[in-house]
Amino acid sequence: MRIFVTGHRGYIGVVLTRLLQESGHEVFGCDSDLYERCSFAPGGPIPDVPWIRKDIRAIETADLLGFDAVLHLAGLSNDPLGDLNPDVTYDINHRASVRLAETAKRAGVGRFVFSSSCSTYGRAGDDFIDETGELNPVTPYGESKLLSERDIAALADGDFCPTFLRSATAYGLSPRIRFDLVLNNLVAWAVTTGRILMKSDGTPWRPIVHIEDISRAFLAVAEADPAKVRNEAFNVGITAQNYRIRELAEIVARVVPDCRIDYAEGAGPDTRCYRVDCDKLGRVVPAFKPVWDAEKGARQLYEAYREADLTLEEFEGPRYQRIAHIRKLIADGIIDSALRRIAPVDAAARTVEMARASDDFADACTSTACHSCRREGLLPVLDLGTMPKSDGLVGEDGRGREPRYPLRLAYCPDCTLVQLLETPPAEEMFGPDYLYFSSFSPALLEHSRSNALELIGRKGLGPDSLVVEPASNDGYLLRNFAAQGIPVLGVEPAPKQAEAARAAGVRTRSAFFTRAYAESMREEGLAADLLLANNVVAHVADPKDFVAAIHTVLKDDGMAVVEFPYLRDLIEHVEFDTIYHEHLCYFSVASADALFRRAGLYINDVRRIPIHGGSLRLYIGKQEARSAAVEAILAEERALGMDTYAFYEDFAQRVAAFRTDARALIGSLRSEGKRIAAYGAAAKGTIMLNYLGLNERTIEYVVDKNVHKHGKYMPGVGLKVCDPGRLVDDRPDYVMILPWNFRQEIIAEQAPYRAGGGQFIVPIPSLDIV
């Protein structure tokens, strides 16, 4: 489950985030991080998750796209802090919370778990009260929580499931400790002074609950059957752990040696008095199993305070007291009186976070060797995070369980090759579940036909010639030669594609094209007059071996014609979605020249072609006869600086900017109630949707002409693949074209959909609506 946690760096949030991670959920955080100065070492490290530094009053639909659940903790966190400025309390705790829920619903989020409070019961007295009892808050904090529950509940429907967790008074150890909570405070007094200072007469009842048990409640509800928790409120705690304040003091006195209980001068009754029945949550959601009690929690706090050598000045100072801390932030110019962060501080902190991520990436590059020249030590270009296999469509039972792998792009300072740091084994990527069939694209078929006819004339091919194609897919290219009576041989490792090629009359062997395999072909007397390698050199894990195989099987006067996407177009047009695990290398002419030259092969001619967003076609032989076109394009690359790291340094920033713009566009359309589908369950579509975080909660489904993909789901995002005819029948408002390199073909094909008012979103080379 993809979960968005507000306040994830707060007292409870850091504990909840860790628990969600341990339970296998993908967690994204949002926090203004007002308490970044409040870290407490004995509480452990703060979990490292992707997050945005943002006030919840500024959350937009784009921020919430693609999430299954929002767990909303952020807000002013207790009664005294709520009293500091009641207008701000209502603004943050009520109005911003309701707006957040409305925004989550528009974004397609299914669950919204709201952190409410037992303070909503207020002055309830000595009798136990359960969730059906009268709500009687006596503070702005409690009132704001009550109003939020009321207004968020009105949003519930079959697709949106809000739940309200009324937590008892929290306690317990955290990386972001608080000392303004009753048990935390009493233990701190006892440790630092030997006195347990009571600030009331000790008679009020108060339910208490450990923050780990609060976190367990959030997890259990987030994973529960929506029908059981939709619009339900649950008291969070343990019924047996309702205590009078003086009873808590007595527990602390038993845990902390040599301390006594004192009452502050003038200590009187507290108007907040309630005993809470917490049994409902366990009955409705049996997965919730609290494990803490007050004495165990007091001992945890005692040991942590002793470890930190806690002093009275520290725990009573502004660092760990919420009101005092907020006042100091205002005085220091970090936030304004409305508790909004001031931009320069925010920007500086964000820069630090980005730098830390860059350092981790750079470390990985340092220990990686170039796939072409074997130089050890690469330079970082782009980290897209972890991604599923781009063509790894799954069935219903595989959704959400797709393996994910790092997708990180780097630059070699020696041979200038841009490449992935790592990739899964070829057998895993091009096995039985590989479903890319070239013949389903009319544009690609026409491109291939015209190329074949030109090469037949250029090489004078006839019945005594042999055309070999490694990675021949379903025979889409070789069949053009076979139709002219020219012998062909395809070498294709993916079983479904090889079978389709043979069925189309194209002689095909099922194998990976390696130097050893090429040598076995020569032993059979097979030597190529023409070798075609379209979109395969970039795919192989060992490009040196692959080009050596080309040299082995190619006749001395033969020609190899190689196509692959051009790195220049990728960088200039921000074509990040053409980066996926199947594409290990990203070539310039210079880096390709270095690779082939080491194998005794020479680029003698070159042509830039528009297919796949901009590609190169290289004409390669065993004797060097370099054309003016090759000299010209190499000079262009040098003039652009493609042989220097500077050309690639800002690519990651431009990709991130595209993500922001694209999510903003999709978010604005969702805010208007527009329905969005997608066209093309292509490899680049997998990368695009996963990087943008657009799953089935944002994009309803994807259509594709490839019948082999119908009924399956795009990996990582869960979009079902349907027949393109659904667009006309269903009429979504917008269709996002994922294989944008075939935009004109797709738009022409879908003329009936467009005539009915449908519009297209084309993400690259510029984010357009057609």
mmCIF file of all heavy atoms in Angstrom, residues 644-670:
data_model
loop_
_atom_site.group_PDB
_atom_site.id
_atom_site.type_symbol
_atom_site.label_atom_id
_atom_site.label_comp_id
_atom_site.label_asym_id
_atom_site.label_seq_id
_atom_site.Cartn_x
_atom_site.Cartn_y
_atom_site.Cartn_z
ATOM 1 N N THR A 644 31.683 15.663 -22.049
ATOM 2 C CA THR A 644 32.010 16.176 -20.718
ATOM 3 C C THR A 644 30.844 15.940 -19.777
ATOM 4 O O THR A 644 29.676 15.894 -20.196
ATOM 5 C CB THR A 644 32.319 17.685 -20.758
ATOM 6 O OG1 THR A 644 31.114 18.405 -21.069
ATOM 7 C CG2 THR A 644 33.382 17.997 -21.794
ATOM 8 N N TYR A 645 31.152 15.840 -18.502
ATOM 9 C CA TYR A 645 30.115 15.595 -17.489
ATOM 10 C C TYR A 645 29.150 16.774 -17.376
ATOM 11 O O TYR A 645 27.965 16.591 -17.035
ATOM 12 C CB TYR A 645 30.793 15.328 -16.149
ATOM 13 C CG TYR A 645 29.861 15.012 -15.011
ATOM 14 C CD1 TYR A 645 28.900 14.010 -15.118
ATOM 15 C CD2 TYR A 645 29.949 15.709 -13.809
ATOM 16 C CE1 TYR A 645 28.060 13.705 -14.066
ATOM 17 C CE2 TYR A 645 29.121 15.412 -12.745
ATOM 18 C CZ TYR A 645 28.167 14.416 -12.876
ATOM 19 O OH TYR A 645 27.337 14.122 -11.833
ATOM 20 N N ALA A 646 29.606 17.970 -17.709
ATOM 21 C CA ALA A 646 28.770 19.160 -17.560
ATOM 22 C C ALA A 646 27.474 19.063 -18.363
ATOM 23 O O ALA A 646 26.447 19.620 -17.965
ATOM 24 C CB ALA A 646 29.554 20.405 -17.975
ATOM 25 N N PHE A 647 27.523 18.354 -19.486
ATOM 26 C CA PHE A 647 26.336 18.224 -20.338
ATOM 27 C C PHE A 647 25.195 17.510 -19.617
ATOM 28 O O PHE A 647 24.023 17.712 -19.933
ATOM 29 C CB PHE A 647 26.707 17.470 -21.617
ATOM 30 C CG PHE A 647 25.602 17.363 -22.630
ATOM 31 C CD1 PHE A 647 25.258 18.450 -23.421
ATOM 32 C CD2 PHE A 647 24.905 16.177 -22.795
ATOM 33 C CE1 PHE A 647 24.240 18.353 -24.366
ATOM 34 C CE2 PHE A 647 23.889 16.063 -23.730
ATOM 35 C CZ PHE A 647 23.557 17.158 -24.526
ATOM 36 N N TYR A 648 25.533 16.688 -18.626
ATOM 37 C CA TYR A 648 24.539 15.827 -17.976
ATOM 38 C C TYR A 648 24.195 16.257 -16.549
ATOM 39 O O TYR A 648 23.269 15.705 -15.951
ATOM 40 C CB TYR A 648 25.065 14.382 -17.943
ATOM 41 C CG TYR A 648 25.549 13.916 -19.294
ATOM 42 C CD1 TYR A 648 26.908 13.961 -19.622
ATOM 43 C CD2 TYR A 648 24.654 13.470 -20.259
ATOM 44 C CE1 TYR A 648 27.353 13.563 -20.873
ATOM 45 C CE2 TYR A 648 25.102 13.066 -21.513
ATOM 46 C CZ TYR A 648 26.445 13.127 -21.814
ATOM 47 O OH TYR A 648 26.872 12.741 -23.053
ATOM 48 N N GLU A 649 24.908 17.250 -16.021
ATOM 49 C CA GLU A 649 24.805 17.555 -14.600
ATOM 50 C C GLU A 649 23.423 18.045 -14.173
ATOM 51 O O GLU A 649 22.993 17.761 -13.053
ATOM 52 C CB GLU A 649 25.869 18.586 -14.206
ATOM 53 C CG GLU A 649 27.235 17.978 -13.977
ATOM 54 C CD GLU A 649 28.216 18.969 -13.401
ATOM 55 O OE1 GLU A 649 28.569 19.924 -14.112
ATOM 56 O OE2 GLU A 649 28.630 18.786 -12.236
ATOM 57 N N ASP A 650 22.717 18.794 -15.019
ATOM 58 C CA ASP A 650 21.429 19.349 -14.597
ATOM 59 C C ASP A 650 20.245 18.499 -15.054
ATOM 60 O O ASP A 650 19.095 18.875 -14.888
ATOM 61 C CB ASP A 650 21.266 20.786 -15.099
ATOM 62 C CG ASP A 650 21.060 20.851 -16.604
ATOM 63 O OD1 ASP A 650 21.414 19.870 -17.305
ATOM 64 O OD2 ASP A 650 20.551 21.883 -17.085
ATOM 65 N N PHE A 651 20.528 17.316 -15.629
ATOM 66 C CA PHE A 651 19.448 16.480 -16.149
ATOM 67 C C PHE A 651 18.475 16.070 -15.045
ATOM 68 O O PHE A 651 17.254 16.113 -15.218
ATOM 69 C CB PHE A 651 20.041 15.252 -16.832
ATOM 70 C CG PHE A 651 19.017 14.364 -17.499
ATOM 71 C CD1 PHE A 651 18.166 14.859 -18.467
ATOM 72 C CD2 PHE A 651 18.913 13.023 -17.152
ATOM 73 C CE1 PHE A 651 17.232 14.048 -19.096
ATOM 74 C CE2 PHE A 651 17.987 12.199 -17.757
ATOM 75 C CZ PHE A 651 17.138 12.710 -18.736
ATOM 76 N N ALA A 652 19.001 15.676 -13.892
ATOM 77 C CA ALA A 652 18.137 15.234 -12.788
ATOM 78 C C ALA A 652 17.202 16.347 -12.340
ATOM 79 O O ALA A 652 16.023 16.106 -12.038
ATOM 80 C CB ALA A 652 18.985 14.754 -11.612
ATOM 81 N N GLN A 653 17.691 17.581 -12.312
ATOM 82 C CA GLN A 653 16.845 18.698 -11.905
ATOM 83 C C GLN A 653 15.729 18.928 -12.914
ATOM 84 O O GLN A 653 14.594 19.234 -12.545
ATOM 85 C CB GLN A 653 17.690 19.958 -11.752
ATOM 86 C CG GLN A 653 18.707 19.874 -10.622
ATOM 87 C CD GLN A 653 19.593 21.104 -10.562
ATOM 88 O OE1 GLN A 653 19.335 22.099 -11.228
ATOM 89 N NE2 GLN A 653 20.648 21.043 -9.760
ATOM 90 N N ARG A 654 16.038 18.768 -14.207
ATOM 91 C CA ARG A 654 15.009 18.966 -15.227
ATOM 92 C C ARG A 654 13.967 17.851 -15.190
ATOM 93 O O ARG A 654 12.776 18.090 -15.422
ATOM 94 C CB ARG A 654 15.653 19.071 -16.602
ATOM 95 C CG ARG A 654 16.470 20.362 -16.757
ATOM 96 C CD ARG A 654 16.902 20.614 -18.186
ATOM 97 N NE ARG A 654 17.948 19.706 -18.599
ATOM 98 C CZ ARG A 654 17.944 19.027 -19.756
ATOM 99 N NH1 ARG A 654 16.922 19.149 -20.584
ATOM 100 N NH2 ARG A 654 18.945 18.235 -20.063
ATOM 101 N N VAL A 655 14.410 16.638 -14.872
ATOM 102 C CA VAL A 655 13.451 15.535 -14.721
ATOM 103 C C VAL A 655 12.532 15.792 -13.524
ATOM 104 O O VAL A 655 11.313 15.594 -13.601
ATOM 105 C CB VAL A 655 14.189 14.192 -14.574
ATOM 106 C CG1 VAL A 655 13.215 13.067 -14.223
ATOM 107 C CG2 VAL A 655 14.937 13.854 -15.858
ATOM 108 N N ALA A 656 13.105 16.236 -12.413
ATOM 109 C CA ALA A 656 12.293 16.535 -11.228
ATOM 110 C C ALA A 656 11.298 17.659 -11.521
ATOM 111 O O ALA A 656 10.148 17.617 -11.053
ATOM 112 C CB ALA A 656 13.200 16.915 -10.066
ATOM 113 N N ALA A 657 11.718 18.657 -12.287
ATOM 114 C CA ALA A 657 10.813 19.750 -12.638
ATOM 115 C C ALA A 657 9.657 19.240 -13.494
ATOM 116 O O ALA A 657 8.507 19.668 -13.332
ATOM 117 C CB ALA A 657 11.575 20.850 -13.373
ATOM 118 N N PHE A 658 9.955 18.316 -14.405
ATOM 119 C CA PHE A 658 8.885 17.726 -15.207
ATOM 120 C C PHE A 658 7.889 16.993 -14.310
ATOM 121 O O PHE A 658 6.670 17.098 -14.511
ATOM 122 C CB PHE A 658 9.462 16.752 -16.235
ATOM 123 C CG PHE A 658 8.400 15.925 -16.913
ATOM 124 C CD1 PHE A 658 7.684 16.434 -17.983
ATOM 125 C CD2 PHE A 658 8.084 14.653 -16.450
ATOM 126 C CE1 PHE A 658 6.687 15.681 -18.588
ATOM 127 C CE2 PHE A 658 7.089 13.898 -17.045
ATOM 128 C CZ PHE A 658 6.390 14.418 -18.126
ATOM 129 N N ARG A 659 8.390 16.258 -13.337
ATOM 130 C CA ARG A 659 7.494 15.531 -12.431
ATOM 131 C C ARG A 659 6.551 16.491 -11.715
ATOM 132 O O ARG A 659 5.346 16.235 -11.615
ATOM 133 C CB ARG A 659 8.300 14.730 -11.401
ATOM 134 C CG ARG A 659 7.460 13.854 -10.487
ATOM 135 C CD ARG A 659 8.337 13.106 -9.486
ATOM 136 N NE ARG A 659 7.597 12.081 -8.799
ATOM 137 C CZ ARG A 659 6.851 12.286 -7.709
ATOM 138 N NH1 ARG A 659 6.777 13.501 -7.183
ATOM 139 N NH2 ARG A 659 6.202 11.286 -7.133
ATOM 140 N N THR A 660 7.099 17.592 -11.244
ATOM 141 C CA THR A 660 6.261 18.585 -10.562
ATOM 142 C C THR A 660 5.190 19.116 -11.493
ATOM 143 O O THR A 660 4.007 19.201 -11.129
ATOM 144 C CB THR A 660 7.139 19.731 -10.046
ATOM 145 O OG1 THR A 660 8.078 19.217 -9.091
ATOM 146 C CG2 THR A 660 6.291 20.804 -9.374
ATOM 147 N N ASP A 661 5.577 19.467 -12.718
ATOM 148 C CA ASP A 661 4.615 20.040 -13.673
ATOM 149 C C ASP A 661 3.561 19.019 -14.080
ATOM 150 O O ASP A 661 2.372 19.344 -14.186
ATOM 151 C CB ASP A 661 5.356 20.541 -14.915
ATOM 152 C CG ASP A 661 6.252 21.734 -14.624
ATOM 153 O OD1 ASP A 661 6.067 22.373 -13.567
ATOM 154 O OD2 ASP A 661 7.132 22.034 -15.452
ATOM 155 N N ALA A 662 3.983 17.782 -14.319
ATOM 156 C CA ALA A 662 3.034 16.756 -14.761
ATOM 157 C C ALA A 662 2.032 16.418 -13.670
ATOM 158 O O ALA A 662 0.823 16.288 -13.935
ATOM 159 C CB ALA A 662 3.794 15.503 -15.201
ATOM 160 N N ARG A 663 2.491 16.272 -12.451
ATOM 161 C CA ARG A 663 1.565 15.977 -11.354
ATOM 162 C C ARG A 663 0.629 17.151 -11.103
ATOM 163 O O ARG A 663 -0.548 16.958 -10.758
ATOM 164 C CB ARG A 663 2.341 15.616 -10.081
ATOM 165 C CG ARG A 663 2.922 14.209 -10.109
ATOM 166 C CD ARG A 663 3.670 13.873 -8.829
ATOM 167 N NE ARG A 663 2.819 13.855 -7.665
ATOM 168 C CZ ARG A 663 2.146 12.804 -7.213
ATOM 169 N NH1 ARG A 663 2.206 11.658 -7.867
ATOM 170 N NH2 ARG A 663 1.419 12.881 -6.118
ATOM 171 N N ALA A 664 1.131 18.366 -11.296
ATOM 172 C CA ALA A 664 0.255 19.532 -11.131
ATOM 173 C C ALA A 664 -0.849 19.517 -12.181
ATOM 174 O O ALA A 664 -2.021 19.815 -11.881
ATOM 175 C CB ALA A 664 1.069 20.814 -11.216
ATOM 176 N N LEU A 665 -0.501 19.181 -13.426
ATOM 177 C CA LEU A 665 -1.513 19.118 -14.485
ATOM 178 C C LEU A 665 -2.549 18.045 -14.195
ATOM 179 O O LEU A 665 -3.764 18.302 -14.249
ATOM 180 C CB LEU A 665 -0.831 18.849 -15.826
ATOM 181 C CG LEU A 665 -1.782 18.582 -17.006
ATOM 182 C CD1 LEU A 665 -2.654 19.802 -17.288
ATOM 183 C CD2 LEU A 665 -1.000 18.179 -18.252
ATOM 184 N N ILE A 666 -2.080 16.838 -13.886
ATOM 185 C CA ILE A 666 -3.021 15.751 -13.607
ATOM 186 C C ILE A 666 -3.853 16.090 -12.368
ATOM 187 O O ILE A 666 -5.066 15.827 -12.327
ATOM 188 C CB ILE A 666 -2.262 14.425 -13.400
ATOM 189 C CG1 ILE A 666 -1.458 14.056 -14.650
ATOM 190 C CG2 ILE A 666 -3.228 13.307 -13.034
ATOM 191 C CD1 ILE A 666 -2.288 13.811 -15.875
ATOM 192 N N GLY A 667 -3.213 16.680 -11.366
ATOM 193 C CA GLY A 667 -3.947 17.055 -10.153
ATOM 194 C C GLY A 667 -5.030 18.071 -10.436
ATOM 195 O O GLY A 667 -6.136 17.989 -9.881
ATOM 196 N N SER A 668 -4.756 19.047 -11.305
ATOM 197 C CA SER A 668 -5.771 20.054 -11.622
ATOM 198 C C SER A 668 -6.948 19.427 -12.365
ATOM 199 O O SER A 668 -8.105 19.793 -12.126
ATOM 200 C CB SER A 668 -5.151 21.184 -12.445
ATOM 201 O OG SER A 668 -4.760 20.736 -13.736
ATOM 202 N N LEU A 669 -6.654 18.470 -13.244
ATOM 203 C CA LEU A 669 -7.744 17.797 -13.960
ATOM 204 C C LEU A 669 -8.587 16.961 -13.009
ATOM 205 O O LEU A 669 -9.820 16.947 -13.101
ATOM 206 C CB LEU A 669 -7.168 16.921 -15.080
ATOM 207 C CG LEU A 669 -6.416 17.670 -16.195
ATOM 208 C CD1 LEU A 669 -5.840 16.673 -17.199
ATOM 209 C CD2 LEU A 669 -7.326 18.670 -16.882
ATOM 210 N N ARG A 670 -7.935 16.261 -12.086
ATOM 211 C CA ARG A 670 -8.687 15.482 -11.102
ATOM 212 C C ARG A 670 -9.517 16.392 -10.206
ATOM 213 O O ARG A 670 -10.646 16.049 -9.825
ATOM 214 C CB ARG A 670 -7.727 14.631 -10.256
ATOM 215 C CG ARG A 670 -7.128 13.433 -10.983
ATOM 216 C CD ARG A 670 -8.200 12.453 -11.418
ATOM 217 N NE ARG A 670 -9.002 12.009 -10.302
ATOM 218 C CZ ARG A 670 -8.973 10.771 -9.794
ATOM 219 N NH1 ARG A 670 -8.162 9.881 -10.300
ATOM 220 N NH2 ARG A 670 -9.735 10.443 -8.779
#
